[in-house]
Amino acid sequence: MTTLVVASSKHGSTREIAERIAKVLRENKGVTTVVEDTKDAPKWLATVEAVVVALPIYAGSLDKAGKAFLDTYRAELAGVSLFIAVSGGAPELDGGLRATVDAYGARDVTYLRGALFEEKLSFKEKLLIKLAKGQYGDYRDWDAVDSWGKSLANRGAN
C-alpha cells in the first residue's frame, strides 16, 4: 500500500514539509511513500490508497497549482484517503480559506506554519510582502509536522 504526498511549492518551503511528512510516515509507521509535485502526481492516483496534499498560501490565496490539482482530480481523490496540509506565514488559517479547503472532503486538514525567505522571492513578491507588512523567517514547527505525519497512518495513510 502506498501513500502519495503531493507537494505544491513555489519556493521550496512547502516541498520540505511534504518531504518531512513522507519521511515520518515511512520511518515511523512503515508506510511506503512517494513525493511528487502537482504535475507528476496524477500518474500515481490509480495506484495509491492515500494522498496527502501539501500546498501553501500566497498573498491570501491557496497556491494555484495545488488548488488546480485538488479541483482537477476531485473525483479520483474522493476514492482515496485524502489529507491536506496548508502552510503559510500567518499564525492560523483564515476562516474563508479553511472553508474552501474543507470542501474537498479530506479526512483531515491541518495548518502548518511555513517559511518565507527574502532571497527566494521576486521583486514583485517582495513588494507585496512589504505592502502587507509581512515578515520573513522560518516559522515551520517540525514537531507539529512530525506529530501530524505520525497521526495519518492511524487514519488511512498506509
Side-chain angles (χ1 to χ4, degrees), residues 93-150:
L93 184 58
D94 170 83
L97 287 175
R98 178 68 188 217
T100 299
V101 175
D102 284 346
Y104 291 106
R107 287 190 178 201
D108 191 33
V109 173
T110 193
Y111 178 72
L112 302 164
R113 298 288 305 272
L116 187 62
F117 300 111
E118 185 174 10
E119 62 272 11
K120 292 186 176 186
L121 302 179
S122 69
F123 175 77
K124 180 180 176 183
E125 291 168 322
K126 289 177 189 176
L127 184 59
L128 289 172
I129 295 299
K130 186 174 183 175
L131 291 172
K133 297 183 179 162
Q135 296 186 355
Y136 299 107
D138 190 343
Y139 303 103
R140 294 173 291 187
D141 179 345
W142 294 113
D143 289 338
V145 174
D146 292 349
S147 177
W148 191 70
K150 287 176 187 175

Side-chain angles (χ1 to χ4, degrees), residues 16-146:
E16 290 172 358
I17 291 171
E19 289 171 351
R20 180 73 165 252
I21 292 167
K23 180 181 178 184
V24 166
L25 282 168
R26 196 171 46 252
E27 292 181 0
N28 293 287
K29 299 295 183 175
V31 175
T32 301
T33 61
V34 60
V35 180
E36 293 285 0
D37 62 25
T38 55
K39 69 177 175 22
D40 294 325
K43 67 184 175 191
W44 291 93
L45 289 175
T47 64
V48 299
E49 292 78 27
V51 176
V52 178
V53 178
L55 71 160
I57 297 170
Y58 292 125
S61 299
L62 294 173
D63 172 64
K64 288 180 185 177
K67 187 171 182 322
F69 175 82
L70 289 166
D71 290 338
T72 302
Y73 298 100
R74 188 180 288 255
E76 292 86 344
L77 295 170
V80 299
S81 297
L82 175 63
F83 303 91
I84 301 174
V86 180
S87 69
E92 58 188 34
L93 184 58
D94 170 83
L97 287 175
R98 178 68 188 217
T100 299
V101 175
D102 284 346
Y104 291 106
R107 287 190 178 201
D108 191 33
V109 173
T110 193
Y111 178 72
L112 302 164
R113 298 288 305 272
L116 187 62
F117 300 111
E118 185 174 10
E119 62 272 11
K120 292 186 176 186
L121 302 179
S122 69
F123 175 77
K124 180 180 176 183
E125 291 168 322
K126 289 177 189 176
L127 184 59
L128 289 172
I129 295 299
K130 186 174 183 175
L131 291 172
K133 297 183 179 162
Q135 296 186 355
Y136 299 107
D138 190 343
Y139 303 103
R140 294 173 291 187
D141 179 345
W142 294 113
D143 289 338
V145 174
D146 292 349

